[in-house]
Amino acid sequence: MVDERVISIMRLLGLERLHMVPSIKLDHALITAFVERWRTKTHSFHLPHGEIMITLQDMEVIMGMPIEGEAMVGFTKRTWKDVCNEMLGIQILDENKTVLDGQNIQIKSLVDRIAQPLPPDANELQVHQYARCYVLALLGDMVFADKSEDRVHLMWLEFMENLHNPPKYSWGSAALSWLYRQLCKASKKMAKKIGGAFILVQLWIYVRFPHMSPQKVPPPEGVYGPPPPPIPLAMKWAGAKCKKNTPTHVLSAYRNQLATTRPDQVKWEPYVDELSRLPPNFHIEGSNMWRSKVPLICFWLVEFHLTNRVLRQFGLKQVQPKDVDTDRKLHKIDARGKVEKNWRVEHAVHIQKENDCSEYVCHAERIEEVMSRHYPYMVWYRRITRLYIDRDSTKMEILIANHLAVLNWFNEDFEEYKFIKKALEDVDEVDRIDMPPSDEATNHTKTPDLGPSMSSAAPMHTHRERAPIPYLATEPSNAYTS
């Protein structure tokens, strides 16, 4: 149990729900299958039935992190040994890079610092240092992990200096910006490891692609105390056992599942029921930001939240989005050699846009039906994307294309026509019979186009189940680039 004095401080910081997120066993192959489909330009996963992305809504609902507040920017030039001593109560010996390496502290040293319970008679300084160690370890483990395997940047302490009346910060926006950048790094061909909030990625897959999720068996009522709060949604997985009703930890199986996913298997709006059952006194502060097309700021990082490309996730009709005009220079900025930079000044234009998020909310008509292949957006989408990762995942497409080609040899009253039509109905592809000629050639019998190989990454572990960040789940493939 976490000390109530620490919880009170986390509540002031807006992070009280983060400690409720449970540890789960991460499926590296599952996450890798999605990372392979990540596009760095649009910050979305390209799947057979359109783009889909992790949004501020997912960050707030699944992880419970606040997305309203000031942008998380500042200086990174400080005497970090003194910071550790004053704010964490951890003394760093000269040249001891085991604990402190540059601006990054070993998470194990934070965990060791709070291994013993906080004394009942602890003074304010002791309580504050203890709370900072706990929060920083939690952030490094579950949200801001990087490829260093067991370290977290000390810059987050800047937002924990005032623990009496701290300003309101957009922790969720910073966390999503960090995750976007980590996904972009993972999409590079030689990537081997990755950080970020990958517990969020896995739970996001579970709620939006239930056919790829292991069957959850809830614990008996009352075993773990009262029912969990509605937010964070991740609490639903606390103490739950899973039946392996789907292939797990097998990259090729996940690739095939994604390639053959039907439109009705994607939960575009998975939170509708959950949000409708919220008690009257439960308020989700950031809901007005969920559909905002704005930059997400995190010190040197500026990553764009392009919700205009995934309107179906908000129950809206998707149209062909405008071309992305992301500044490539922004994407190349890193922290190396820039300790003198004042990122609040450097990114002032983007920070102002994030602050004015209400002016950039995407609007569209409601959509009630599953979007068919004939829909204008889908016709456009198939022209600009690559739908398949490797040749094995194209097998179903080849079979369907050949069935469609053979279908043209017969009139509708022929038994052969009826037999082939029945086969297409059985795999939910019968709507392709009436595909307009300008959309998709009827005798599309070639192997679908495949791009060059692309490797991807596996996620981190939490400090409650500490393990080194594993190497990527990889298999020989012909995958597309972003």
Side-chain angles (χ1 to χ4, degrees):
M1 294 291 293
V2 183
D3 193 289
E4 184 55 38
R5 289 167 291 181
V6 174
I7 298 299
S8 297
I9 289 174
M10 294 186 71
R11 191 173 295 116
L12 289 173
L13 293 170
L15 297 173
E16 75 274 15
R17 294 171 184 162
L18 185 60
H19 88 281
M20 303 177 190
V21 177
S23 297
I24 63 171
K25 185 175 182 179
L26 293 173
D27 189 335
H28 307 139
L30 176 63
I31 295 172
T32 297
F34 276 81
V35 172
E36 288 178 329
R37 291 176 171 272
W38 178 258
R39 291 292 182 95
T40 59
K41 191 175 180 181
T42 60
H43 294 150
S44 61
F45 301 103
H46 276 222
L47 302 179
H49 302 292
E51 294 180 65
I52 190 168
M53 65 191 293
I54 301 172
T55 68
L56 289 170
Q57 180 191 47
D58 302 302
M59 179 63 74
E60 185 168 22
V61 175
I62 295 178
M63 299 293 284
M65 296 194 72
I67 60 175
E68 283 194 328
E70 296 181 28
M72 299 189 70
V73 290
F75 290 99
T76 57
K77 183 180 181 180
R78 301 183 68 171
T79 306
W80 295 109
K81 288 196 299 182
D82 294 344
V83 170
C84 287
N85 185 32
E86 295 168 10
M87 297 187 69
L88 302 175
I90 297 176
Q91 293 187 346
I92 308 296
L93 301 176
D94 291 340
E95 306 302 323
N96 184 1
K97 289 190 175 183
T98 301
V99 176
L100 181 65
D101 188 3
Q103 303 167 7
N104 298 281
I105 190 168
Q106 185 186 43
I107 293 178
K108 181 179 181 299
S109 65
L110 297 171
V111 176
D112 290 343
R113 173 73 173 79
I114 58 176
Q116 298 300 320
L118 191 61
D121 60 347
N123 59 37
E124 183 180 84
L125 177 62
Q126 292 172 319
V127 172
H128 285 185
Q129 289 177 340
Y130 190 100
R132 291 189 189 105
C133 285
Y134 179 81
V135 173
L136 191 60
L138 200 61
L139 291 172
D141 235 3
M142 305 187 75
V143 181
F144 296 113
D146 61 20
K147 293 188 291 185
S148 64
E149 298 190 8
D150 193 25
R151 295 185 181 276
V152 59
H153 206 295
L154 289 167
M155 62 188 181
W156 312 114
L157 288 175
E158 178 176 336
F159 310 105
M160 297 183 240
E161 289 192 66
N162 174 8
L163 295 182
H164 292 105
N165 186 26
K168 193 176 180 181
Y169 292 107
S170 181
W171 289 93
S173 297
L176 193 57
S177 179
W178 188 275
L179 177 60
Y180 282 176
R181 180 61 63 91
Q182 294 294 331
L183 285 165
C184 290
K185 289 180 178 180
S187 69
K188 297 185 182 300
K189 186 175 182 179
M190 302 306 293
K192 295 295 182 182
K193 296 180 181 180
I194 192 171
F198 269 80
I199 189 171
L200 167 62
V201 177
Q202 183 158 321
L203 293 177
W204 175 86
I205 295 170
Y206 283 177
V207 298
R208 291 190 180 271
F209 301 84
H211 67 291
M212 300 183 71
S213 165
Q215 182 181 346
K216 185 178 63 171
V217 182
E221 187 175 347
V223 169
Y224 292 96
I231 305 295
L233 192 66
M235 277 291 288
K236 283 201 162 188
W237 292 89
K241 295 181 180 179
C242 296
K243 291 182 178 179
K244 292 187 177 180
N245 57 309
T246 58
T248 57
H249 306 283
V250 181
L251 182 56
S252 58
Y254 288 135
R255 285 174 177 162
N256 291 334
Q257 277 189 302
L258 280 177
T260 57
T261 294
R262 301 190 308 272
D264 61 347
Q265 289 181 303
V266 182
K267 295 275 285 187
W268 294 101
E269 294 185 273
Y271 311 126
V272 172
D273 290 341
E274 301 292 339
L275 298 179
S276 67
R277 291 196 294 265
L278 291 179
N281 62 341
F282 195 95
H283 178 54
I284 299 180
E285 294 183 349
S287 58
N288 62 321
M289 289 182 61
W290 288 349
R291 289 185 283 123
S292 296
K293 181 188 172 187
V294 291
L296 305 175
I297 319 296
C298 179
F299 280 87
W300 59 90
L301 303 180
V302 179
E303 301 289 347
F304 288 86
H305 188 240
L306 302 174
T307 51
N308 63 311
R309 307 185 72 88
V310 293
L311 293 176
R312 278 183 290 178
Q313 293 181 221
F314 305 99
L316 304 179
K317 186 176 293 186
Q318 183 64 57
V319 297
Q320 178 180 333
K322 293 180 179 179
D323 290 341
V324 180
D325 57 356
T326 305
D327 186 345
R328 292 188 177 184
K329 291 181 181 178
L330 278 177
H331 219 252
K332 293 180 179 179
I333 295 177
D334 59 29
R336 289 175 294 184
K338 301 181 180 67
V339 293
E340 302 284 351
K341 283 278 188 184
N342 183 338
W343 298 109
R344 186 173 297 279
V345 174
E346 187 77 11
H347 295 323
V349 173
H350 302 295
I351 292 171
Q352 185 59 50
K353 192 170 183 178
E354 182 178 351
N355 292 339
D356 297 336
C357 63
S358 60
E359 299 179 18
Y360 300 98
V361 176
C362 296
H363 298 280
E365 298 176 29
R366 287 288 305 176
I367 186 171
E368 304 298 338
E369 71 281 354
V370 175
M371 193 179 290
S372 75
R373 293 176 64 88
H374 311 317
Y375 195 82
Y377 164 78
M378 289 303 303
V379 176
W380 165 81
Y381 176 72
R382 284 195 299 278
R383 288 202 304 265
I384 60 94
T385 193
R386 295 187 184 276
L387 301 177
Y388 303 97
I389 291 297
D390 61 359
R391 297 191 180 278
D392 283 343
S393 63
T394 68
K395 290 177 180 177
M396 177 62 77
E397 177 65 22
I398 295 171
L399 285 171
I400 293 169
N402 278 294
H403 276 68
L404 290 169
V406 173
L407 198 68
N408 278 349
W409 301 350
F410 306 100
N411 293 326
E412 292 187 15
D413 56 347
F414 278 45
E415 289 300 317
E416 291 87 346
Y417 184 98
K418 296 175 181 178
F419 179 83
I420 295 172
K421 183 179 179 180
K422 178 63 168 60
L424 292 170
E425 287 175 347
D426 289 343
V427 293
D428 293 318
E429 296 286 353
V430 70
D431 64 331
R432 294 174 64 171
I433 293 176
D434 299 321
M435 186 70 66
S438 60
D439 178 6
E440 185 171 342
T442 309
N443 62 345
H444 179 194
T445 57
K446 293 194 306 180
T447 301
D449 188 22
L450 298 169
S453 177
M454 178 182 72
S455 56
S456 46
M460 38 73 75
H461 290 256
T462 68
H463 71 265
R464 287 167 285 182
E465 187 183 21
R466 170 59 53 187
I469 297 176
Y471 289 99
L472 304 183
T474 56
E475 292 180 7
S477 69
N478 293 310
Y480 60 78
T481 56
S482 297

